C-alpha cells in the first residue's frame, strides 16, 4: 500500500505499508498474514526540481539541491526470505555477508527464525551545469531475535552504519557522463568498502538508451548474486559493461 504526495511545492513525502522487505523471489505461501513492514520518506528540494537520478543529465543552469530523510521498519522471519540468488535479494546479512537465518551461524543448535529490521538514512545532493555530488549516511539495527537456542545468544542486537558518495560530470551535454563513487560499511563483523569509476554514453541524447561501463574495486563485498557482477566476500577489481533500455 503506497501513499505519496506533497506537503507543499518543495517538500514531498512517501509512505509504504507491506508484508515483507522483498516482493520478488517470495511466493504467497512464504508470507505471514500480517502487514509488519512500513517505510517513510521526506524529500526537500528548496531550489527547484532536482530531477531523477544521480547525475545532472538535465544540465541545470541554477544550483538545485535535494535533502532526504528515510526510515524503514520490518518484522522478518526465516521462511519469508527470497532465495540467495534472486534478483532483488534483501536477506538480512551481517557486514561479512553471512545471512543471520543460516542454521548454526552463531553456535551449534542456534537458529534465528525471527528478527526485527530497522534502517534510518539521510541523503543530500547538489546539481549544477552538468556536474553533481550526492551522499548518503545510514544506520541499521537488527534485534528481537527469536528461534531455537536464541536464549543462549551472547548479544541482543547488531548495529551497523555506513555511507556512500557519488560525483559526476557531463563531458558532453546529454551524451557522455563520467562518474566516481564509493561506499563503506562499519559493521560488527567487518568493514567492507568499494570504489568505482564509470562512464555513461547516451547515443540519442535521452535516457531511453544508455551504454554503461565501469571499473569496480571491492574489498570483502557483503552482498552478491547471479544478477550482480560480484559475489559475497569478493575482493579485487571487476569490469562491467552493459546496454540498458528504459521503457
Amino acid at each position: 500500500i503506497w501513499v505519496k504526495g506533497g506537503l507543499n511545492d518543495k517538500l514531498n513525502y512517501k509512505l509504504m505499508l507491506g508484508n515483507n522487505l522483498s516482493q520478488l523471489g517470495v511466493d504467497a505461501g512464504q508470507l505471514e498474514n500480517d502487514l509488519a513492514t512500513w517505510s517513510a520518506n521526506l524529500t526537500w528540494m528548496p531550489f527547484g526540481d532536482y530531477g531523477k537520478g544521480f547525475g545532472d543529465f538535465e544540465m541545470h543552469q541554477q544550483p538545485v539541491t535535494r535533502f532526504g530523510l528515510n526510515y524503514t521498519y520490518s518484522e522478518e522471519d526465516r521462511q519469508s526470505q527470497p532465495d540467495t540468488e534472486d534478483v532483488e535479494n534483501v536477506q538480512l546479512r551481517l557486514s561479512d555477508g553471512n545471512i543471520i537465518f543460516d542454521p548454526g551461524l552463531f553456535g551449534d543448535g542456534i537458529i534465528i527464525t525471527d528478527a526485527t529490521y530497522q534502517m534510518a538514512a539521510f541523503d543530500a545532493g547538489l546539481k549544477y551545469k552538468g556536474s553533481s555530488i550526492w551522499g548518503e549516511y545510514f544506520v541499521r539495527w537488527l534485534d528481537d531475535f527469536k528461534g531455537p537456542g536464541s536464549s543462549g545468544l551472547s548479544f541482543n542486537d547488531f548495529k551497523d552504519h555506513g555511507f556512500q558518495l557519488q560525483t559526476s560530470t557531463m563531458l558532453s551535454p546529454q551524451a557522455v557522463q563520467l562518474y566516481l563513487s564509493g561506499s563503506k560499511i562499519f559493521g560488527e563483523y567487518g568493514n567492507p568498502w568499494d570504489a568505482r569509476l564509470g562512464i555513461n554514453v547516451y547515443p540519442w541524447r535521452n535516457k531511453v538508451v544508455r551504454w554503461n561501463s565501469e571499473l569496480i574495486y571491492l574489498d570483502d563485498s557483503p552482498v552478491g548474486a547471479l544478477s550482480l557482477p560480484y559475489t559475497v566476500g569478493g575482493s579485487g577489481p571487476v569490469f562491467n559493461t552493459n546496454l540498458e533500455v528504459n521503457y
Side-chain angles (χ1 to χ4, degrees):
I1 303 172
W2 293 84
V3 178
K4 63 179 181 179
L7 299 177
N8 54 48
D9 59 352
K10 297 180 180 180
L11 186 63
N12 298 317
Y13 68 88
K14 292 181 182 179
L15 299 171
M16 186 278 294
L17 180 65
N19 48 24
N20 198 12
L21 281 175
S22 175
Q23 276 303 115
L24 295 179
V26 179
D27 60 46
Q30 294 175 259
L31 294 173
E32 296 289 340
N33 60 350
D34 57 5
L35 297 175
T37 300
W38 62 274
S39 184
N41 162 262
L42 277 176
T43 302
W44 181 42
M45 294 179 285
F47 302 116
D49 186 10
Y50 187 77
K52 297 181 179 180
F54 296 110
D56 188 20
F57 182 88
E58 296 81 8
M59 300 292 295
H60 289 87
Q61 295 306 301
Q62 299 294 329
V64 291
T65 57
R66 167 202 156 99
F67 302 93
L69 285 174
N70 313 274
Y71 176 76
T72 301
Y73 173 94
S74 185
E75 297 174 9
E76 294 287 301
D77 63 73
R78 186 168 182 258
Q79 175 180 287
S80 64
Q81 302 303 301
D83 292 334
T84 303
E85 300 299 343
D86 279 325
V87 175
E88 292 292 332
N89 181 358
V90 291
Q91 297 208 43
L92 305 188
R93 296 180 181 271
L94 303 175
S95 57
D96 62 1
N98 280 310
I99 300 170
I100 69 166
F101 298 116
D102 284 347
L105 179 64
F106 302 109
D108 293 338
I110 298 177
I111 302 176
I112 292 179
T113 59
D114 297 85
T116 297
Y117 167 101
Q118 296 180 78
M119 178 179 283
F122 168 76
D123 66 85
L126 169 68
K127 294 182 180 182
Y128 181 52
K129 290 188 176 180
S131 296
S132 71
I133 184 169
W134 175 87
E136 179 184 46
Y137 174 79
F138 74 88
V139 181
R140 185 194 71 165
W141 301 268
L142 299 177
D143 59 12
D144 197 19
F145 304 120
K146 299 176 183 177
S150 59
S151 60
L153 292 172
S154 60
F155 51 84
N156 296 316
D157 56 25
F158 294 116
K159 293 185 178 71
D160 302 312
H161 64 105
F163 67 89
Q164 55 180 322
L165 295 169
Q166 178 164 310
T167 184
S168 70
T169 186
M170 300 299 297
L171 300 179
S172 178
Q174 298 183 329
V176 182
Q177 180 188 60
L178 183 70
Y179 65 88
L180 176 68
S181 69
S183 68
K184 185 173 179 62
I185 296 173
F186 302 93
E188 297 188 31
Y189 283 80
N191 304 306
W193 60 273
D194 77 272
R196 64 187 67 202
L197 175 66
I199 188 169
N200 290 314
V201 177
Y202 303 91
W204 287 281
R205 294 183 181 272
N206 59 47
K207 289 188 174 183
V208 177
V209 179
R210 178 181 76 154
W211 178 26
N212 169 253
S213 299
E214 62 181 8
L215 179 64
I216 311 169
Y217 188 87
L218 302 164
D219 184 73
D220 296 329
S221 174
V223 294
L226 292 177
S227 60
L228 302 174
Y230 41 82
T231 59
V232 174
S235 294
V238 177
F239 176 74
N240 178 56
T241 185
N242 59 87
L243 182 66
E244 300 176 5
V245 179
N246 293 313
Y247 58 91

